[in-house]
Amino acid sequence: ERKNNDDNNNDNNDDGEEEVMMITGGGGEVEEVTPGKKRLPAPGVLHDGQGLDAGAAGEFGGMRSVEVSSGEKGSDSHGNRVHNPSIRQVSAAALSNTMPHSNHLSGHHPHPHPHPLLLPPPPPLPTSTLSPPLPSLPPLHVPRPLAVDKVEALLHRAVDTWAFDAFELYDATGGHALSCLAFFLITRSPMISKFRLNLVALARCLRTIESGYRDNPYHSAIHAADVLQHLHMILTYGGLLPHYVDDLGLLAIYMSAILHDYGHLGRTNDFLIATSHPLALTYNDRSPLENHHLSAGLAIFRAPEFNFMEGSRLSKEQQKLLRKMVIDVVMATDMKGHFGLVGQFKAAHGISDQHLAQIQHEAGGGGGGGKGS
């Protein structure tokens, strides 16, 4: 009875005014709808006095708004007289997503400060009103991205050409020329099936070593990829495989090329020694850069998440031999020992300087000197 009396008092205080609902369209038109005529297209039940906090209002930005008002008369933006003591704008898009459908309006609320009220979800539609199920479609052939095809083409080309462009592979792989080329060369060789290397750890190891290269103008990860590819060509087309290098030696040479300039500072050994750089002091002025490459790079190999030899068929002795060969190869990249190694090679194989120059000319090398390791 008290509830009915409150409703009657509220009706008397309205002075016979009728609650009006305005629907504002995207073009600015305004339509007045009297509650109970079921003309409000937006779903849900809206009560006078309900409001949205600032965060919800910002989240519910949409294409169309619904204004609910009652009480004193006011004016809208077009000058139309409307009841306008409290107006709530709710995004129609938000209403359709968050409020259940309803065909009636509640003009008054008995509570002086009503809170938002949402109806429970409507019952599911009868099966007969639903659309028939779509027929099953044959599986679609999704073409692979062009970048993948380009990377594979560049990698396959790298195994049998001297005209390798490391910069092109760098661009195609998004800056990962070294890790992609190294993983490709290692996994296509017989050492994978022979040694049963951990491929997941190998991929992580290669990517970590690659990320340790500084963005130097020369001694960068792109340079390491270029060295790795040309070393592969020398081993393959120079007759060193399989007569001089076995599978373990091939893995050692690959890993040496991959990390041979790891963490290079972009300065020469002579500069580091002359400036008493910490690396020069640590390694007593003896090949400080090469020692640094090996010490930092081989530490990655031993990390559990990067140790691709863990659980493989490589014995402890083979792992020690692999480490020794990597150290020997990387230390030989110090140019101070380069000419001595070349002299030993020529003496062992009876190669004269004239013969070596002829070989370089036929191979297109021209006989010029390089820039170092």
Side-chain angles (χ1 to χ4, degrees):
E1 290 178 358
R2 292 182 61 186
K3 179 180 179 181
N4 294 333
N5 292 334
D6 291 341
D7 291 341
N8 294 331
N9 292 334
N10 291 333
D11 293 338
N12 295 333
N13 292 335
D14 289 343
D15 295 331
E17 294 294 346
E18 188 176 48
E19 185 182 17
V20 178
M21 176 166 291
M22 298 188 333
I23 302 177
T24 305
E29 65 276 6
V30 178
E31 179 183 357
E32 294 187 356
V33 180
T34 302
K37 293 186 179 182
K38 304 179 182 180
R39 297 182 59 188
L40 179 64
V45 178
L46 305 179
H47 297 286
D48 178 37
Q50 296 178 354
L52 291 176
D53 59 291
E59 181 181 358
F60 287 168
M63 298 297 295
R64 184 166 60 91
S65 65
V66 178
E67 298 184 358
V68 178
S69 62
S70 63
E72 298 178 2
K73 293 185 178 180
S75 300
D76 64 0
S77 59
H78 299 277
N80 299 320
R81 300 292 294 175
V82 297
H83 300 272
N84 192 25
S86 59
I87 296 179
R88 182 164 71 103
Q89 293 187 344
V90 182
S91 165
L95 287 172
S96 62
N97 292 332
T98 61
M99 299 185 67
H101 291 273
S102 175
N103 292 325
H104 64 279
L105 297 173
S106 176
H108 300 279
H109 198 286
H111 197 279
H113 300 287
H115 297 281
L117 178 63
L118 298 179
L119 291 177
L125 295 176
T127 307
S128 58
T129 63
L130 299 178
S131 302
L134 295 175
S136 59
L137 299 176
L140 297 177
H141 173 67
V142 180
R144 297 195 309 169
L146 295 178
V148 176
D149 294 333
K150 183 177 181 180
V151 170
E152 287 193 354
L154 292 174
L155 292 175
H156 284 286
R157 190 190 311 166
V159 301
D160 58 0
T161 180
W162 292 99
F164 173 68
D165 189 347
F167 293 97
E168 185 179 8
L169 182 61
Y170 178 87
D171 294 335
T173 57
H176 299 294
L178 176 59
S179 58
C180 289
L181 178 62
F183 191 83
F184 179 76
L185 291 177
I186 294 175
T187 54
R188 70 184 296 272
S189 66
M191 70 181 72
I192 290 297
S193 58
K194 182 176 182 179
F195 300 138
R196 297 289 181 88
L197 303 178
N198 187 330
L199 296 183
V200 175
L202 175 64
R204 293 172 178 170
C205 178
L206 295 176
R207 185 59 62 89
T208 302
I209 293 176
E210 181 180 51
S211 64
Y213 274 83
R214 297 170 181 258
D215 190 19
N216 295 319
Y218 183 77
H219 295 98
S220 63
I222 302 177
H223 162 70
D226 190 49
V227 170
L228 173 63
Q229 192 273 341
H230 279 80
L231 186 56
H232 163 79
M233 292 296 296
I234 293 174
L235 294 173
T236 304
Y237 292 93
L240 298 178
L241 288 176
H243 306 293
Y244 291 91
V245 181
D246 58 6
D247 291 331
L248 186 63
L250 179 62
L251 178 60
I253 293 176
Y254 280 165
M255 298 310 299
S256 301
I258 292 166
L259 62 83
H260 83 279
D261 274 334
Y262 176 78
H264 200 291
L265 302 180
R267 299 290 187 270
T268 64
N269 282 330
D270 290 339
F271 178 86
L272 299 181
I273 295 171
T275 58
S276 298
H277 191 275
L279 286 182
L281 299 179
T282 300
Y283 297 109
N284 300 317
D285 297 343
R286 296 182 179 179
S287 304
L289 284 174
E290 288 71 26
N291 277 292
H292 170 62
H293 305 326
L294 287 166
S295 177
L298 292 177
I300 297 176
F301 289 4
R302 295 193 300 269
E305 61 270 30
F306 307 133
N307 190 353
F308 55 88
M309 295 178 288
E310 185 68 27
S312 68
R313 290 181 176 176
L314 288 173
S315 64
K316 294 298 182 181
E317 293 300 322
Q318 286 178 312
Q319 295 183 29
K320 290 180 180 180
L321 180 58
L322 176 66
R323 173 183 169 86
K324 181 181 182 303
M325 287 190 289
V326 171
I327 292 175
D328 291 341
V329 173
V330 175
M331 290 300 296
T333 61
D334 187 351
M335 292 303 296
K336 286 189 175 181
H338 170 74
F339 297 102
L341 292 173
V342 173
Q344 294 177 15
F345 178 82
K346 291 192 297 184
H349 295 276
I351 301 176
S352 63
D353 292 339
Q354 293 77 11
H355 187 199
L356 182 61
Q358 181 181 357
I359 295 175
Q360 291 176 338
H361 178 73
E362 293 177 355
K371 291 186 179 181
S373 61

